[in-house]
Amino acid sequence: MAISGKIIAGIKMPDSVIAKQATELLREHGRDLLYNHSLRSFLFASLNGQQNDIRYDAELLYVSAMFHDLGLTAHYRSSDKRFEVDGADAARNFLIGHGVSPQSLQLVWDAIALHTSPGIAEYKEPEVALLNYGVALDVVGKGYNQLSNTDRDEIIKLFPRSELKKNIIPTFFDGFKHKPHTTFGSMNADICCCMIPDYKPQNFCDAILNSPWSE
């Protein structure tokens, strides 16, 4: 289904070359679950921006949404970085090729790198805060009651959830099971605890007590 330029739940989908190419990359490297999740996250984020009269760059928010989970995929994931950083790096490299300004490059990088960082992202620039909101709404239902039944039904009809509750945890885990150490200090450590028998995540208190300082 071509989505470029369509109006969905009152939100016009970006139809620029950058937006179209970002969508194509997500389609090429991400499965349906990530594709639909990313589109829903953009729409939920945009609706929140619209409802709260927040000024934001729709194209940059869209690209951020398209790339925010691509760091989980085989094509983009690294062996030693958090998946959020892999996705942020991929988006920055993509946008550099389109001559995007350094300020916009950093904005998109931050939006993706911080999308799993509640308590920080919401205090950043609108695009960063909105992406965090949209992703949280889709994954854990934060702000669910602020979404109208009409908008919710229209979005899910076009981008179905496909048993997201059942499938999203193993999808996340598959993206960083080869590097569980990168989840230290993030909510992704909870996924490792859920998916790896007897997994013991790194502990910040232990890191302090076992530091090389003598006192």
Side-chain angles (χ1 to χ4, degrees):
M1 177 189 67
I3 60 172
S4 179
K6 288 181 66 70
I7 295 178
I8 302 172
I11 300 298
K12 183 178 179 180
M13 306 299 286
D15 59 358
S16 66
V17 171
I18 290 177
K20 291 175 182 177
Q21 290 184 2
T23 307
E24 290 169 1
L25 286 172
L26 177 58
R27 260 301 189 202
E28 179 181 357
H29 300 293
R31 296 180 179 178
D32 285 348
L33 183 75
L34 291 184
Y35 174 79
N36 289 328
H37 162 60
S38 298
L39 269 298
R40 291 194 306 270
S41 295
F42 167 75
L43 288 163
F44 294 154
S46 298
L47 283 169
N48 183 254
Q50 184 183 78
Q51 291 164 359
N52 291 284
D53 197 26
I54 298 171
R55 296 182 63 181
Y56 64 94
D57 188 307
E59 182 180 65
L60 294 182
L61 177 61
Y62 185 83
V63 171
S64 299
M66 296 305 97
F67 274 88
H68 87 276
D69 275 344
L70 276 179
L72 295 168
T73 66
H75 184 76
Y76 289 106
R77 62 187 175 223
S78 68
S79 61
D80 60 348
K81 297 177 185 176
R82 283 179 55 160
F83 90 85
E84 301 95 330
V85 172
D86 288 334
D89 286 348
R92 179 166 57 193
N93 291 335
F94 166 75
L95 290 172
I96 286 175
H98 289 277
V100 174
S101 71
Q103 182 179 5
S104 294
L105 291 176
Q106 189 62 56
L107 184 63
V108 170
W109 196 95
D110 286 352
I112 297 169
L114 295 173
H115 81 267
T116 59
S117 297
I120 297 176
E122 58 258 47
Y123 299 106
K124 293 278 289 178
E125 296 86 350
E127 295 81 3
V128 181
L130 289 172
L131 181 64
N132 173 258
Y133 177 91
V135 171
L137 173 51
D138 196 49
V139 176
V140 299
K142 183 178 180 180
Y144 180 87
N145 291 328
Q146 297 175 33
L147 188 66
S148 73
N149 292 335
T150 300
D151 289 341
R152 182 167 55 243
D153 291 346
E154 182 177 353
I155 291 169
I156 291 176
K157 181 178 180 180
L158 292 172
F159 308 111
R161 289 179 62 80
S162 303
E163 297 186 292
L164 183 134
K165 284 186 176 182
K166 174 183 175 181
N167 295 317
I168 196 68
I169 293 175
T171 297
F172 283 151
F173 181 62
D174 190 56
F176 50 72
K177 63 184 179 183
H178 61 296
K179 51 179 181 180
H181 63 283
T182 64
T183 67
F184 175 56
S186 79
M187 62 180 64
N188 298 315
D190 295 339
I191 293 176
C192 291
C193 290
C194 179
M195 299 295 290
I196 303 174
D198 301 320
Y199 178 72
K200 294 183 178 180
Q202 297 179 64
N203 183 288
F204 184 51
C205 293
D206 289 341
I208 295 172
L209 297 173
N210 294 321
S211 77
W213 293 102
S214 59
E215 90 291 350

